[in-house]
Amino acid sequence: MTGRDPAAEPPSLKELPGDRLRVRAAGQEFVIDASCPHRKGRLVHGYVNPGTLRISCPLHHSSFDLATGCAVRGPGDDPLTVYRAGVWPGYYGSEQVWLPASEQLLEWGEEFHELMLGDELRMTAFRTAIAEAVRPGDVVLDLGTGTGILARWALEAGAARVYGIDLNEKVLATAAERLAEAGFADRFVPLSGLSFDLELPERVDIVISEIMGNLADNENFSAILDDARERFLRPGGTMLPGLVDSFLVPVTAEAAHAQLTGEGPRDAGGPEAFAALLAARGAEDPFSLYYDTVLPIAGHLASPRLIRRYDPAPAAAAGTETSYRVPLAYTAQRDGVFTGFKGYFVAQLSESVALDISGDDIEGRTTSDSWKHCYLPIERPVRVRRGDRIALTFSRRGGRDGNPFGQTYSWEGQVLSGTRVVDRFAHSTGPAAD
């Protein structure tokens, strides 16, 4: 992060996917509707008063409070919808540790879905890919539809019908409401439940989904998408995403590591609440969990290594296993303090669109607000020198505590300097395998 004072910056306005507008002024960030509720004037061309935190429409000069959306003056009385308000740019920062969103998937509410809608990296890639992949007349399945933004883009691309599956009935109702308001009520079919338990009345031309976690399969996406391909997709149909590769790289992230034995993750509620959370999970210590953290590329100690590839092509996916064990070896390319591993994915969404979440420039929007990176810490930081080796065995076991999206990850290995073992590490998010 830079040392600039956000409050001193001039107001900025940027259009976001989903016909929304991000407004930054006086150190605050707001995500609002992109059009005025009076006569649909484009607010991106409006005036923002950083002193009063109000935005004025350029068409008829209606003015709205950015924090509440209330109409302040002008010909219109209807309020402006405000989706998110808070301090910017740092509702998160580099090496700031957060609890893993993928582990809380069943608890996601509209607030987290709004965070995803404001994630420019994520939404721009999906919007472009859907416009490229969906053809007029296609029948589409949006698997994990959330508030329905991917379904909307498919319908705008000419889809004849979109089936939207989501486990959260409240969020699914929001999707149906928003798509009805957009004029797609007769072409969107909401289906509530777990996709494994549902049936469709017809095969679809394309399956669209963004149920990947930041390590790709930390929402059980490979098993879910394999099932969808087999039961819902017509022969020769399209899966979006296509190939998904996940990577691990050893990193130095001393600030992130210090938080785990200090104040704990940003959203854990403090050290005592964090300790109670770990105890409830049956975790031995803070290093028996992975975290969502933006980890700088400058902290990479070696070259990233591929740990898993998901290929939805029938011949390839037939051999997909949700449990695996992968040995990896790294050679340190510089001196540094080894504190754990950074995990991320690169997904080929369509023929010309790839989504790579490895970036680290928060203000430049090259990293993902909602995914961030996966941080797999080790308990004892180890100082390494160029040429030292890190041997890792990374494993995944599918299923945990009856959670259809759960899994257990383990990362164990050793650090070697020449032939000498400098240190060993062994961590797991669940009990040891029998």
Side-chain angles (χ1 to χ4, degrees), residues 41-248:
R42 302 305 295 175
L43 294 176
V44 70
H45 305 300
Y47 169 73
V48 176
N49 185 323
T52 61
L53 289 178
R54 293 175 180 173
I55 186 169
S56 298
C57 175
L59 194 58
H60 298 109
H61 307 294
S62 294
S63 180
F64 303 90
D65 186 289
L66 284 166
T68 65
C70 292
V72 178
R73 64 176 176 83
D77 296 325
D78 291 336
L80 178 69
T81 301
V82 177
Y83 296 97
R84 187 177 72 229
V87 177
W88 78 274
Y91 57 88
Y92 70 92
S94 182
E95 288 197 45
Q96 189 178 75
V97 176
W98 297 76
L99 293 171
S102 291
E103 296 292 305
Q104 305 169 74
L105 186 151
L106 296 175
E107 303 169 18
W108 287 0
E110 191 164 337
E111 181 179 350
F112 188 76
H113 284 279
E114 295 300 339
L115 174 63
M116 291 192 287
L117 289 173
D119 188 333
E120 292 180 44
L121 184 75
R122 179 183 198 134
M123 293 294 94
T124 299
F126 270 95
R127 186 174 197 172
T128 306
I130 289 170
E132 179 178 286
V134 175
R135 296 288 178 263
D138 278 352
V139 178
V140 176
L141 169 61
D142 181 6
L143 184 53
T145 193
T147 54
I149 188 62
L150 304 191
R152 175 167 181 162
W153 291 335
L155 290 162
E156 289 175 344
R161 264 178 314 289
V162 175
Y163 295 95
I165 294 178
D166 205 278
L167 196 60
N168 188 318
E169 292 185 7
K170 183 177 179 181
V171 171
L172 186 61
T174 297
E177 180 181 346
R178 291 182 181 180
L179 290 169
E181 290 174 352
F184 298 120
D186 59 335
R187 293 160 58 194
F188 178 68
V189 184
L191 298 168
S192 177
L194 190 64
S195 61
F196 292 115
D197 302 328
L198 298 175
E199 299 286 345
L200 297 184
E202 59 185 323
R203 293 269 181 164
V204 303
D205 298 292
I206 180 168
V207 174
I208 296 171
S209 183
E210 54 170 354
I211 59 173
M212 298 167 290
N214 52 16
L215 202 54
D217 58 15
N218 43 333
E219 292 174 21
N220 204 26
F221 90 111
S222 57
I224 294 171
L225 292 188
D226 282 352
D227 175 72
R229 186 199 70 248
E230 288 297 313
R231 297 195 300 116
F232 301 143
L233 188 67
R234 68 165 176 78
T238 300
M239 297 290 289
L240 192 165
L243 293 178
V244 182
D245 291 334
S246 54
F247 298 85
L248 282 176

Side-chain angles (χ1 to χ4, degrees), residues 301-419:
L301 292 171
S303 298
R305 296 290 307 276
L306 176 72
I307 56 171
R308 200 67 174 164
R309 164 166 286 185
Y310 174 73
D311 184 346
T320 300
E321 297 290 341
T322 58
S323 296
Y324 52 83
R325 186 176 176 88
V326 181
L328 300 169
Y330 301 89
T331 299
Q333 296 175 347
R334 65 180 183 85
D335 297 354
V337 178
F338 168 49
T339 66
F341 297 89
K342 168 182 173 177
Y344 63 90
F345 70 79
V346 179
Q348 189 72 32
L349 298 184
S350 64
E351 185 174 338
S352 69
V353 180
L355 173 59
D356 181 348
I357 70 164
S358 65
D360 62 358
D361 185 355
I362 296 172
E363 291 188 24
R365 317 304 286 171
T366 67
T367 191
S368 166
D369 296 340
S370 52
W371 275 305
K372 302 180 178 64
H373 303 132
C374 176
Y375 180 39
L376 299 164
I378 62 171
E379 182 176 7
R380 295 182 301 275
V382 181
R383 184 166 294 279
V384 297
R385 297 187 180 279
R386 183 177 180 181
D388 287 351
R389 288 167 293 130
I390 300 171
L392 166 69
T393 297
F394 179 77
S395 63
R396 181 188 191 274
R397 300 201 313 276
R400 191 192 69 236
D401 301 330
N403 181 355
F405 307 104
Q407 66 279 306
T408 295
Y409 288 122
S410 299
W411 54 106
E412 55 186 315
Q414 55 190 9
V415 180
L416 302 101
S417 181
T419 59

